[in-house]
Amino acid sequence: MDSARPLAILAEGRFTPLDAKTAVGLLRYRAELVVAVVDSTSAGRTAGDCVGVGGSVPVVADLEGAAARGAGTLVIGVAPQGGELPPAWRRIVLEAVERGWDVWSGLHVFMNDDPELVAAARRTGATLFDARRPTQERPVAARAAAAVDALVVLTVGSDCNVGKMTTALELVRELESRGTKTAFVATGQTGIFIAEQGVAVDAVPSDFVAGVIERRVVEAARGAEVVVVEGQGALHHPGYSGVTLGLLHGTCPRAMVLCHQVGRERVRITRAAGAPAPSSEPVIPGLGELVRAYESAAAWVNSSRVVAISLNTMGEPDAEARQAIDQAARQTGLPATDPIRYGAGPIADAVEASRVAWRGRAAIG
Amino acid sequence: MDSARPLAILAEGRFTPLDAKTAVGLLRYRAELVVAVVDSTSAGRTAGDCVGVGGSVPVVADLEGAAARGAGTLVIGVAPQGGELPPAWRRIVLEAVERGWDVWSGLHVFMNDDPELVAAARRTGATLFDARRPTQERPVAARAAAAVDALVVLTVGSDCNVGKMTTALELVRELESRGTKTAFVATGQTGIFIAEQGVAVDAVPSDFVAGVIERRVVEAARGAEVVVVEGQGALHHPGYSGVTLGLLHGTCPRAMVLCHQVGRERVRITRAAGAPAPSSEPVIPGLGELVRAYESAAAWVNSSRVVAISLNTMGEPDAEARQAIDQAARQTGLPATDPIRYGAGPIADAVEASRVAWRGRAAIG
């Protein structure tokens, strides 16, 4: 990855807040790098208009428009179902490579396995960065992350796509603004594009998920007072729960932040196009039950506490958002906030309190 | 895989009951195919002498000895730490390929990625079967296995290597002997060599573990009354818990059989050679707590009950073994047995009772 060259984000036909998770993440946290979003169906508008972040970053119709803005890297900003590269997008990727642009992809299919893309990249000197290409490491976790001096925090959730990465990044920003030396460990493609490091744990062979994240946590803890790890999936998700538990047991967090989207009642099951409808999607339990589930699961290997609730209140009117936050705090007895809407202060306070308690215990022990 | 040609099992220097899990599994369940075990340090003895199964199958010093017995396939029968192929074994594998033998491997490094082995195999017509080579499928699980008509049973455990595969295979045998149409789903390399089908879930990218096993269960359920799925890892294992939960939520078992080795008090953490000692290995909780952990974790997606306890009493005197079984039954209120020592009858009884209850419920519903 080479962020020296300005980014164009490909979000063709899907530049909406729900679909374009990677685009929104980059626009929120690395806006200074982004010169254009490519979506012919929204060309002429701005990112701020389309997804509420990114302000005046223009949406352009094609790579020519992005080139005019100085783009030199194309990022695939939407995750299609099943992780495949649709033929229409592949043509755009090929065009970018032929222009000599680097391309960043978080898909489960790898550009580096596509002979035509590889040949074109070789010709033009472009770099194809597949964020999900699994590491060749094969470490088996052994609770080593439990032994670091830094306070390790993991964001966990009621479902996919409820705000685990965003909460982690907002927490990092808030702690750093307070002068706390904080390291961020990215575990998914968007986090990796933002942080320019990390590992896409969902693409790691399942035996090594915990071991790979354990290594990253131990490395990140050197010189940091707090390590914030981006969570993935959910214990209640039929497809992704194994990723979630591997990440939890590899990370051995001292503290967890539970993330939930207000109004989401059922786990969203991903379906490939044409696949039969799943049997009913599991109901998301109440926040109190979620706290107990995560704390029980953590304790199978190393005990941990949920210290704060992060609510995603996107789309709710202000009064309803505040009411939901109050209710979450009452239900769980924990501080709650929407870090995007009202700041990550209460979460950072809870993490700092854990750190003080943890250092006190360590000093006594 | 082509089982037409008699098997030689490579277990060089490590042909012991604890080290040679794959060898022992093949000798126990496919003894009719095995003509020799290769271990120069035990040559001249029999399999029965060395590992207690396999009776008079001879241990030979080298491939020449195995060739004299008619071998035409070499199976790597030991899983080295970290899943690598030690150089000394690689030379033996290469010799087998040069003889035109097929080779079956369950290592995490793939023979098919080794140019010299691939070239030799091409020359001699040998097949290199890498059981852990991940499938190219990318299904995301959606509780589809919960909807099959067959009763789905999963073996789960207190740790790795306590008897989950053996319990599953003994249960299959017992149910079949009673006339119940039973399908076995192999999920690890030894099970795959024995059943000549299945998927090594620990090598599947973590996002798709549950989805891949869901497909296998749905396929196996066609025409079967009971589907028995081989479990992997343990919820309390720091390295492998994610595999275990993915398998549990992909399988959606109606019934679970909890496996434990008598006398094992701590989870065994795998360490690469030279790696620092892990912080203390987690204590294995009591059987009652294990039952609750597995039932809680299952219920996050689809409720399930532990219906029987399978104890591995290897090495215990008979009186102690019987006492441990009685104690397990009292602790949990569930039928308990050592299926190798005393037969899988009580486990099969419990599964049949679940099936009757399940069919009754289905008929009412």
Side-chain angles (χ1 to χ4, degrees):
Chain A
M1 294 178 77
D2 171 9
S3 62
R5 295 198 291 179
L7 306 180
I9 302 176
L10 178 62
E12 183 59 30
R14 293 179 55 196
F15 190 43
T16 66
L18 276 180
D19 271 356
K21 195 173 150 182
T22 299
V24 169
L26 279 166
L27 287 164
R28 180 169 281 140
Y29 297 106
R30 300 303 300 273
E32 75 283 4
L33 298 178
V34 183
V35 295
V37 174
V38 180
D39 176 4
S40 62
T41 66
S42 294
R45 300 174 65 193
T46 66
D49 284 346
C50 292
V51 296
V53 288
S56 60
V57 168
V59 183
V60 299
D62 50 25
L63 296 194
E64 194 57 41
R69 306 282 173 164
T73 294
L74 183 70
V75 185
I76 299 178
V78 215
Q81 291 287 17
E84 306 278 349
L85 185 62
W89 298 7
R90 187 175 166 283
R91 278 192 299 274
I92 299 174
V93 169
L94 183 59
E95 186 195 333
V97 173
E98 282 168 349
R99 287 171 180 268
W101 296 8
D102 296 339
V103 184
W104 297 355
S105 164
L107 304 185
H108 272 292
V109 283
F110 303 131
M111 299 182 293
N112 282 293
D113 289 342
D114 182 323
E116 191 179 5
L117 292 179
V118 169
R122 197 167 295 141
R123 217 162 44 235
T124 64
T127 300
L128 302 175
F129 174 65
D130 285 306
R132 265 198 172 124
R133 192 159 196 90
T135 158
Q136 289 306 301
E137 305 157 81
R138 286 188 283 270
V140 175
R143 289 214 293 196
V148 303
D149 287 331
L151 183 90
V152 180
V153 183
L154 175 67
T155 55
V156 297
S158 61
D159 194 1
C160 295
N161 207 5
V162 293
K164 293 182 289 289
M165 181 194 76
T166 302
T167 299
L169 288 165
E170 294 295 326
L171 175 59
V172 169
R173 261 192 188 172
E174 177 65 23
L175 289 170
E176 283 181 339
S177 78
R178 298 177 180 194
T180 303
K181 278 183 281 183
T182 309
F184 172 64
V185 176
T187 61
Q189 70 270 27
T190 306
I192 292 170
F193 294 152
I194 292 168
E196 299 196 23
Q197 52 77 9
V199 58
V201 290
D202 59 7
V204 172
S206 60
D207 248 8
F208 307 121
V209 165
V212 162
I213 198 69
E214 175 177 281
R215 282 197 179 169
R216 297 302 185 285
V217 170
V218 169
E219 284 159 17
R222 292 190 191 115
E225 294 168 299
V226 176
V227 175
V228 180
V229 181
E230 173 196 3
Q232 293 293 335
L235 289 180
H236 295 71
H237 193 291
Y240 305 129
S241 58
V243 185
T244 307
L245 191 65
L247 190 52
L248 176 58
H249 286 169
T251 300
C252 288
R254 283 286 144 205
M256 298 180 280
V257 178
L258 175 63
C259 307
H260 176 59
Q261 183 175 22
V262 171
R264 192 174 307 196
E265 291 176 358
R266 288 177 177 273
V267 169
R268 288 190 190 149
I269 291 183
T270 314
R271 246 186 299 165
S279 57
S280 64
E281 295 174 317
V283 172
I284 295 174
L287 291 174
E289 198 176 328
L290 285 170
V291 168
R292 285 191 293 279
Y294 277 102
E295 292 185 348
S296 300
W300 294 337
V301 163
N302 204 61
S303 65
S304 180
R305 302 301 299 267
V306 173
V307 299
I309 308 293
S310 177
L311 284 188
N312 175 347
T313 65
M314 190 173 65
E316 301 285 332
D318 190 62
E320 277 78 352
R322 289 187 185 276
Q323 196 185 346
I325 289 168
D326 288 347
Q327 197 186 345
R330 273 200 313 277
Q331 270 177 18
T332 59
L334 294 170
T337 187
D338 179 334
I340 291 293
R341 204 156 178 170
Y342 307 116
I347 301 173
D349 292 345
V351 166
E352 292 285 8
S354 291
R355 189 158 72 93
V356 170
W358 169 238
R359 282 165 59 194
R361 198 160 57 165
I364 294 163
Chain B
M1 292 178 79
D2 171 9
S3 63
R5 295 197 291 177
L7 306 180
I9 303 176
L10 177 61
E12 183 59 30
R14 293 178 56 195
F15 190 43
T16 67
L18 276 181
D19 272 355
K21 195 173 150 182
T22 299
V24 169
L26 280 165
L27 287 164
R28 179 168 282 139
Y29 296 106
R30 300 302 301 272
E32 75 283 5
L33 297 178
V34 183
V35 295
V37 174
V38 180
D39 175 5
S40 61
T41 66
S42 295
R45 301 173 66 194
T46 67
D49 285 345
C50 292
V51 296
V53 289
S56 60
V57 168
V59 184
V60 300
D62 50 26
L63 296 194
E64 193 56 40
R69 306 284 174 164
T73 294
L74 182 71
V75 186
I76 299 178
V78 216
Q81 291 288 17
E84 307 278 349
L85 185 62
W89 297 7
R90 187 175 166 283
R91 280 192 299 276
I92 300 175
V93 169
L94 182 59
E95 186 196 331
V97 174
E98 281 167 349
R99 287 171 180 267
W101 296 9
D102 296 339
V103 185
W104 298 354
S105 165
L107 303 184
H108 272 293
V109 283
F110 303 130
M111 299 182 293
N112 283 294
D113 288 342
D114 182 323
E116 190 180 6
L117 291 179
V118 169
R122 198 167 296 140
R123 217 162 44 235
T124 64
T127 300
L128 302 174
F129 173 66
D130 285 308
R132 264 194 172 128
R133 192 157 196 91
T135 156
Q136 290 305 301
E137 306 156 80
R138 285 188 283 270
V140 175
R143 290 214 292 196
V148 303
D149 286 330
L151 182 90
V152 180
V153 183
L154 175 67
T155 55
V156 297
S158 61
D159 194 2
C160 295
N161 206 5
V162 293
K164 292 182 290 289
M165 180 194 78
T166 303
T167 299
L169 288 165
E170 293 295 326
L171 175 59
V172 169
R173 263 192 188 173
E174 177 66 23
L175 289 170
E176 283 181 339
S177 78
R178 297 178 181 193
T180 304
K181 278 183 280 181
T182 309
F184 171 66
V185 176
T187 61
Q189 70 269 28
T190 306
I192 293 170
F193 294 152
I194 293 168
E196 301 195 20
Q197 51 77 8
V199 58
V201 290
D202 59 8
V204 172
S206 61
D207 248 8
F208 307 121
V209 164
V212 162
I213 198 69
E214 175 177 282
R215 282 197 180 169
R216 296 303 185 286
V217 169
V218 169
E219 284 160 17
R222 293 193 191 111
E225 293 168 301
V226 176
V227 175
V228 181
V229 181
E230 174 196 3
Q232 294 293 335
L235 288 180
H236 295 72
H237 194 292
Y240 305 129
S241 58
V243 185
T244 306
L245 191 64
L247 190 52
L248 176 58
H249 286 170
T251 300
C252 288
R254 284 286 143 203
M256 297 180 281
V257 178
L258 175 62
C259 306
H260 175 59
Q261 183 174 22
V262 171
R264 191 173 310 195
E265 292 175 355
R266 287 176 178 273
V267 170
R268 288 188 190 152
I269 291 182
T270 313
R271 247 188 299 165
S279 56
S280 63
E281 294 174 317
V283 171
I284 295 174
L287 291 174
E289 198 175 326
L290 286 171
V291 167
R292 284 190 294 277
Y294 277 101
E295 292 184 348
S296 300
W300 295 337
V301 163
N302 204 61
S303 65
S304 180
R305 302 301 300 268
V306 174
V307 300
I309 308 293
S310 176
L311 285 187
N312 175 347
T313 65
M314 190 173 63
E316 301 285 332
D318 190 62
E320 277 78 352
R322 290 187 185 276
Q323 197 184 345
I325 289 168
D326 288 347
Q327 198 185 343
R330 274 200 313 276
Q331 270 178 17
T332 59
L334 294 170
T337 187
D338 179 335
I340 291 293
R341 205 156 177 169
Y342 306 117
I347 302 173
D349 292 346
V351 166
E352 291 286 7
S354 292
R355 189 158 72 94
V356 170
W358 169 238
R359 282 165 59 193
R361 199 160 56 167
I364 293 163

